[in-house]
Amino acid sequence: MTAPGFADLYRWDVRHIGRSPLLWAVLLILGASFVWGAVSTANLHRAQAEAHARLALREAAHDEDLHRRIEAYRTPVTAAAPAIPYWQDPSNVSGFSQYFLFRHATKPHLPLSPLALGVSDLAPNWLPVKLNSVAGTDERYDFENPRGLALGRFDLGFALVYLLPIALILMFGLLVTFERDHGMLRLVAAQATKPRTWLATRCAAILSWALPSVLLAVLLALAAAGTHLAEAWPELLGALLLIACYTLFWSGVAILALSRLPSASGAIASLATVWILLALGLPLAGATLAAILDAAPSSSQRVDLLRRTNDAVQANRNTLLVRAFAARPDLRDAAYRIADIDHATRLSFLTPEIERRMAPLDRAIAGHAERQARTAAIAGYVVPPLGFAAALAELAGTDAQRQHDFMAKARAYQLALRDYLYPLVQHEIACPTPAPGMPLRGRFTFSRQGELPIFAFTAAPSYIRTAAILPLAVWLALLGAGFATLGCVRADRWPVDTA
Amino acid sequence: MMSGLVATELLILRRDRRAWWALLALAAFILLAFTGGAIDAARGNADKAGIAAAERSRWLNQGVKDPHSAAHYSIFAFKPAPALVGLDSGAMPFVGQAVWLEAHHQNDLLHRPQQGASLLQRAGLSSPAALILGIGPLIVFLLAFTLVARDREQGTMRLALGMAAQPRSLVGSKVLAIWGAAAALLVVPVMLAALLVSGTSGLLTADAVMRLALWATLMIAYLALPAAIGVLVSLRATSARIALALLFGGWILFVLVIPRAASNAADTFRPLPSSQQVQQQMLDEAPAYWSAADSERHKRELLIRYRVSRIEDIPNPRMAELDLVERQSHRVFDRILGGFYGRVAGQDRLFASLGFLSPTIAGQALSASLAGTDFSHQRDFIDTAERYRRALVNCMNADGMAHRAGPQTPHTNDARLWSEIPAFSYVAPTLGSQNATALPALGALLFWLGGACGLLVLAARKIAP
């Protein structure tokens, strides 16, 4: 008897599987979940972008208001209109630095952001930048319902990472085992076809329908979410490649689980166990282990240290100022003014000192975060759903690294503002701006409110993000191919009860 | 006779290695999740208690200063983790743990445990409740499939039914065996562990015991649902394949998809204003640093309030103005922030009501409410801390206003005044006092349980060899 070739069987299987209502029902539901997820994430990101736009308008309105106030204070002092206290006077450079600086750092979303929520629901995407906040910006976040955060949002990333494998499990588990569960496998086994050829062609046929449908559904979902696909084509190509490799990985797992041609119940039970292990069990065990082996420095301890440091610095502020003045040639002769300088001017000396004292703990916190990020990156290769989720977020620009870069940029912006304003504030100690002949209500030691440094957060080029996910894509493809090969090798005999 | 049947079914279950080992593995994961959560909570609570004591000491020993400066110095208040946080962390990883109770500001609670979490930390975030409510049904379905659908497929069910005096008792024994095994392995060990941990850490109050008992009852009752549905579907499906597809599909739909989709729907139908809008509104209406024009307006208000014609006739005009602004800000905070938190609670109520779409939603809402980890409990802490802040700031301002002072003759006070402020202490609300989300969820869960049991009884009546 001549065995049919792979191509003949494949052609037959593709036609046969393509007529399966189950296949299309699963793919349709999956596609709908992609659209829901992408639109949901796009709505969140749109709301965040609107907040950024409102902030820009508020900054402009604030600047205009300051201008109006400054003009209003350009009037002579009278009994009815006394001099303005420095903390109410935007024309006073020290008052401006502490009480009128209204600038924000914003993290714009990238064109492909609906692909994955990443950290965009949890991490702040805008920060008020104040001159004297310790070590960057004050901690803040956009309030999202914590129940929703705990449950997780239904986003496209969730659908791809968790629902796509389940859909593949259902399709492979039910379509490959159809003959066995209906007692027809013994008819197949009676032919000259080898079990591995039969398994390989059936799985290839399922994949031939599933993979293009999934990729097309992702494109449709992104388009439905309002993504300008042409603006992000390198990331989009990377995403499609990544999704294809993830699909191959789960297909490989399915082929391995089906290699002994089990019943549907056996196949689905095995595959569901693998899914639970990879999606929940290993991340849970990994996170618990990482927390035990490398516990995070306590945030409460940081509060305590900050309070103690503030107290210590305030208690010795005059000593610290004397030392700071002595070290500066331009201030050396102005030490007699230390008792008179205002709170904002004092802060320009004391805040860097507080930061210096807090630095060891802040470095420890940053070091812990870096170690955790490295552990998560390695875990991504051991637990593919984790790695896949991280790679999707990277392509979407909602990843933890981009957030980290944003926070670093916000800190750099704060330092740039300090470099601009601190010298002007401190210059007033030794060389105060001469008061005009007729005393005015405002102090008028600062007139460059509109020339402050501007915050800019430029995204890394898209090819860098695309290139960054390639190693994982290759790894997933290799794993998938390896599992599939192993499965085909194991599928060397028909099940005993069908032979 | 029933106990003998149940014992036999349990024996059959244990012989199916795949289903039994899956159940044991889930039980192990539940204990692992509890251990991680309990260690975190114990560590965090110890830290918070130590630093809260240090804060109190700092407050009392801040030295001689202007009372309003003391109100700015103030204290940080820390929210202790509730006794049952190891069982269900609920909203806790995503809400702040500490708040600075300073003058002029109702600050947000900061230091959310998950704020800077890596992907592994967030993906690995789980709790016994999440595992029982999420993965429990899948494992129970697997057990039901093993005991019923496979029996039917292999023909052994027909034989057993033919020999049984009461076929219904056979169905009942299968449900009881599945339910009993799941409850005994998934709920009882973690309940005992929680009892032990709470007892050794001094958190075992009568309220905690009651909450624990109800939480365990909830979980056991919840597991009855997949046991009944699993047996029902396995009995009625035309084949084992169909039964499996229905059970697996049902699990995906009711556990994975609907809860997240319902959460999105709650966000969509009852949207929250953005934090930027809320903060901007507070900044506009209750600025911590007001303008010279505002000062003029305040002066006019104070002249009317004190019924004097000159500001100098007010004993301490600066403090009077601070008090005026502070009290105005309270009304603004109540309206803006109070309204905002009310909308969050409204979202949670809507989500709990959607428990009629999926029992998992009802279980999640009830479990977090019983564990004291939902937003209503967080809101209670926020309100308690804010009441304390207002009392502290008002007391400091009142002391200032009671003493004549001016720019050249400032008024100061010392530890005698600071010690008049009691230490901040927080007692979590008792069971039943924060049940806005629990009641609709309870109704939904009872609806599901009643429906599933009713359908199972009907199916059992119709069963024939």
Side-chain angles (χ1 to χ4, degrees):
Chain A
M1 190 159 46
T2 310
F6 179 89
D8 297 330
L9 270 176
Y10 174 71
R11 270 197 297 275
W12 186 88
D13 263 341
V14 165
R15 280 199 302 275
H16 172 66
I17 294 295
R19 288 194 291 268
S20 163
L22 175 84
L23 177 94
W24 294 110
V26 170
L27 287 175
L28 202 66
I29 293 168
L30 193 63
S33 72
F34 286 177
V35 172
W36 175 291
V39 169
S40 155
T41 308
N43 286 342
L44 177 74
H45 290 173
R46 201 168 295 127
Q48 292 176 344
E50 284 166 6
H52 296 175
R54 280 195 301 271
L55 276 174
L57 289 175
R58 293 301 307 204
E59 283 185 4
H62 176 82
D63 289 351
E64 274 178 33
D65 180 50
L66 289 194
H67 183 69
R68 270 196 301 273
R69 284 201 214 182
I70 290 169
E71 288 311 309
Y73 299 156
R74 208 181 283 279
T75 52
V77 170
T78 63
I84 302 292
Y86 94 102
W87 61 273
Q88 288 181 326
D89 181 6
S91 75
N92 183 320
V93 69
S94 66
F96 177 86
S97 72
Q98 175 67 9
Y99 305 106
F100 292 97
L101 184 68
F102 186 71
R103 287 291 180 268
H104 298 85
T106 53
K107 189 182 100 169
H109 286 295
L110 298 181
L112 205 60
S113 72
L115 180 66
L117 189 65
V119 299
S120 64
D121 59 341
L122 192 57
N125 57 82
W126 63 270
L127 296 162
V129 181
K130 296 176 186 164
L131 208 60
N132 295 311
S133 299
V134 173
T137 54
D138 293 331
E139 189 187 322
R140 68 156 300 280
Y141 51 87
D142 281 343
F143 189 98
E144 291 283 328
N145 191 317
R147 172 196 38 74
L149 290 172
L151 190 59
R153 218 177 165 86
F154 195 108
D155 77 310
L156 178 54
F158 165 77
L160 284 166
V161 174
Y162 297 106
L163 299 187
L164 171 61
I166 290 176
L168 291 170
I169 288 171
L170 270 179
M171 286 188 285
F172 280 103
L174 292 174
L175 294 176
V176 174
T177 57
F178 183 84
E179 283 81 357
R180 156 133 191 182
D181 285 356
H182 287 84
M184 295 189 288
L185 198 58
R186 63 182 66 223
L187 291 175
V188 181
Q191 312 301 312
T193 310
K194 289 181 178 170
R196 71 170 57 104
T197 312
W198 187 85
L199 177 67
T201 51
R202 175 60 56 88
C203 291
I206 295 170
L207 206 54
S208 300
W209 287 108
L211 184 56
S213 306
V214 165
L215 297 182
L216 189 65
V218 169
L219 285 174
L220 287 175
L222 288 171
T227 309
H228 298 292
L229 300 178
E231 282 180 24
W233 66 267
E235 294 101 318
L236 188 62
L237 285 182
L240 294 179
L241 174 72
L242 192 67
I243 294 164
C245 293
Y246 191 60
T247 307
L248 286 178
F249 165 76
W250 278 103
S251 304
V253 173
I255 292 169
L256 186 59
L258 291 161
S259 59
R260 295 295 187 199
L261 301 177
S263 63
S265 61
I268 289 183
S270 307
L271 287 167
T273 307
V274 174
W275 182 88
I276 290 171
L277 199 68
L278 289 180
L280 297 165
L282 288 179
L284 170 63
T288 309
L289 201 65
I292 290 170
L293 294 180
D294 185 11
S298 148
S299 57
S300 308
Q301 296 286 358
R302 189 176 187 279
V303 170
D304 186 46
L305 182 65
L306 187 57
R307 295 282 271 180
R308 283 190 279 122
T309 307
N310 258 321
D311 287 354
V313 166
Q314 287 298 338
N316 297 307
R317 67 185 190 200
N318 283 352
T319 314
L320 291 166
L321 287 172
V322 167
R323 210 177 293 155
F325 277 42
R328 290 263 298 270
D330 57 327
L331 296 178
R332 208 167 285 155
D333 297 332
Y336 68 94
R337 292 206 59 204
I338 284 176
D340 302 332
I341 60 176
D342 58 47
H343 174 64
T345 307
R346 266 203 307 269
L347 284 180
S348 70
F349 294 97
L350 300 183
T351 304
E353 175 62 20
I354 294 171
E355 287 179 350
R356 193 184 63 74
R357 296 185 188 196
M358 293 294 294
L361 181 61
D362 286 341
R363 273 199 298 273
I365 291 170
H368 175 265
E370 276 173 28
R371 287 194 301 280
Q372 289 292 327
R374 274 201 300 274
T375 308
I378 294 166
Y381 284 87
V382 182
V383 187
L386 265 187
F388 181 56
L392 287 176
E394 180 146 17
L395 289 167
T398 54
D399 56 309
Q401 182 57 49
R402 186 161 180 262
Q403 183 67 28
H404 179 266
D405 293 346
F406 167 63
M407 305 294 277
K409 273 277 186 212
R411 167 65 170 161
Y413 180 55
Q414 183 196 40
L415 293 177
L417 286 169
R418 283 187 190 174
D419 286 346
Y420 183 80
L421 285 168
Y422 274 1
L424 299 175
V425 170
Q426 293 171 358
H427 181 74
E428 288 297 314
I429 302 168
C431 309
T433 305
M438 182 186 288
L440 299 178
R441 296 192 73 195
R443 183 64 185 82
F444 293 94
T445 56
F446 184 55
S447 58
R448 290 161 27 198
Q449 290 83 354
E451 298 168 25
L452 294 172
I454 293 168
F455 178 80
F457 181 56
T458 47
S462 54
Y463 70 86
I464 290 185
R465 277 192 303 281
T466 309
I469 60 99
L470 289 180
L472 185 83
V474 172
W475 171 245
L476 290 176
L478 284 176
L479 279 179
F483 287 143
T485 309
L486 196 62
C488 287
V489 171
R490 281 185 83 219
D492 57 351
R493 58 180 182 273
W494 297 105
V496 177
D497 53 339
T498 59
Chain B
M1 181 188 140
M2 185 57 113
S3 59
L5 280 173
V6 173
T8 310
E9 298 295 348
L10 277 172
L11 193 65
I12 296 169
L13 268 185
R14 285 175 56 194
R15 281 183 185 156
D16 186 287
R17 280 184 306 162
R18 197 155 34 207
W20 191 251
W21 277 102
L23 184 64
L24 289 178
L26 181 60
F29 280 137
I30 287 170
L31 285 175
L32 181 67
F34 174 76
T35 308
I39 289 174
D40 267 359
R43 201 186 277 159
N45 277 348
D47 256 0
K48 289 171 189 171
I51 296 163
E55 279 288 283
R56 178 66 182 167
S57 166
R58 278 192 278 267
W59 168 257
L60 292 175
N61 299 304
Q62 60 184 309
V64 175
K65 62 170 70 161
D66 167 27
H68 190 71
S69 298
H72 272 290
Y73 183 74
S74 192
I75 64 155
F76 269 83
F78 295 89
K79 181 175 188 291
L84 302 190
V85 70
L87 291 177
D88 188 346
S89 54
M92 289 289 286
F94 299 95
V95 291
Q97 303 295 305
V99 59
W100 187 15
L101 306 176
E102 62 172 330
H104 305 310
H105 301 270
Q106 181 172 355
N107 287 319
D108 285 336
L109 263 80
L110 297 177
H111 308 301
R112 300 188 297 177
Q114 281 281 309
Q115 177 83 29
S118 72
L119 189 61
L120 176 64
Q121 288 167 310
R122 193 164 179 192
L125 180 71
S126 201
S127 67
L131 291 171
I132 294 170
L133 295 169
I135 309 301
L138 183 65
I139 303 296
V140 171
F141 284 163
L142 195 61
L143 298 177
F145 179 83
T146 304
L147 274 192
V148 183
R150 207 178 279 174
D151 262 15
R152 279 185 66 206
E153 196 89 336
Q154 291 167 353
T156 43
M157 174 79 107
R158 181 182 290 259
L159 278 176
L161 285 172
M163 292 165 70
Q166 285 182 312
R168 268 181 290 170
S169 60
L170 192 67
V171 175
S173 68
K174 285 181 186 293
V175 173
L176 282 178
I178 295 162
W179 185 27
L185 287 171
L186 303 185
V187 182
V188 175
V190 80
M191 183 191 74
L192 294 175
L195 201 61
L196 187 71
V197 169
S198 302
T200 51
S201 53
L203 297 171
L204 201 60
T205 58
D207 186 65
V209 171
M210 185 66 85
R211 283 175 182 272
L212 180 59
L214 285 176
W215 184 87
T217 308
L218 163 70
M219 290 298 149
I220 290 171
Y222 176 81
L223 287 173
L225 200 58
I229 292 172
V231 170
L232 178 69
V233 170
S234 301
L235 278 174
R236 303 301 299 167
T238 50
S239 71
R241 283 172 61 81
I242 299 289
L244 190 67
L246 285 175
L247 290 175
F248 199 58
W251 175 72
I252 295 166
L253 187 68
F254 288 110
V255 176
L256 288 187
V257 175
I258 291 182
R260 281 187 186 232
S263 182
N264 282 19
D267 287 353
T268 306
F269 294 121
R270 295 216 176 137
L272 297 178
S274 77
S275 292
Q276 183 270 331
Q277 283 169 308
V278 172
Q279 286 169 19
Q280 190 61 55
Q281 203 182 347
M282 289 204 297
L283 203 60
D284 290 344
E285 295 189 30
Y289 304 109
W290 50 93
S291 67
D294 291 332
S295 289
E296 283 301 315
R297 189 168 43 80
H298 298 156
K299 197 184 287 182
R300 286 195 295 276
E301 284 183 47
L302 287 173
L303 292 177
I304 294 168
R305 178 176 293 186
Y306 280 83
R307 295 176 184 176
V308 292
S309 55
R310 296 182 321 144
I311 204 73
E312 294 79 12
D313 294 337
I314 297 172
N316 190 337
R318 171 179 159 268
M319 204 60 100
E321 184 183 17
L322 289 168
D323 185 66
L324 177 80
V325 173
E326 189 70 39
R327 287 175 194 276
Q328 283 173 350
S329 74
H330 296 168
R331 289 191 288 276
V332 173
F333 297 152
D334 286 342
R335 179 164 44 79
I336 299 173
L337 271 183
F340 180 77
Y341 291 142
R343 290 172 81 155
V344 177
Q347 277 194 344
D348 285 354
R349 277 196 301 276
L350 174 61
F351 178 75
S353 307
L354 295 174
F356 287 96
L357 298 179
S358 159
T360 307
I361 293 176
Q364 286 166 339
L366 267 176
S367 170
S369 177
L370 288 172
T373 55
D374 63 357
F375 182 74
S376 63
H377 287 78
Q378 181 74 6
R379 172 84 192 271
D380 183 74
F381 178 84
I382 292 171
D383 291 345
T384 307
E386 178 59 9
R387 278 195 297 274
Y388 181 89
R389 184 189 77 84
R390 291 179 186 184
L392 184 149
V393 176
N394 289 345
C395 177
M396 295 298 112
N397 289 348
D399 178 74
M401 286 191 293
H403 294 85
R404 184 165 286 280
Q408 308 307 321
T409 53
H411 163 66
T412 57
N413 215 320
D414 56 24
R416 279 171 300 182
L417 175 63
W418 319 148
S419 60
E420 283 178 22
I421 303 292
F424 177 79
S425 69
Y426 177 67
V427 179
T430 51
L431 184 66
S433 60
Q434 302 288 329
N435 52 13
T437 57
L439 291 180
L442 183 63
L445 192 66
L446 291 175
F447 162 80
W448 279 96
L449 277 170
C453 292
L455 287 174
L456 185 68
V457 169
L458 281 179
R461 275 187 192 156
K462 287 182 185 170
I463 198 166

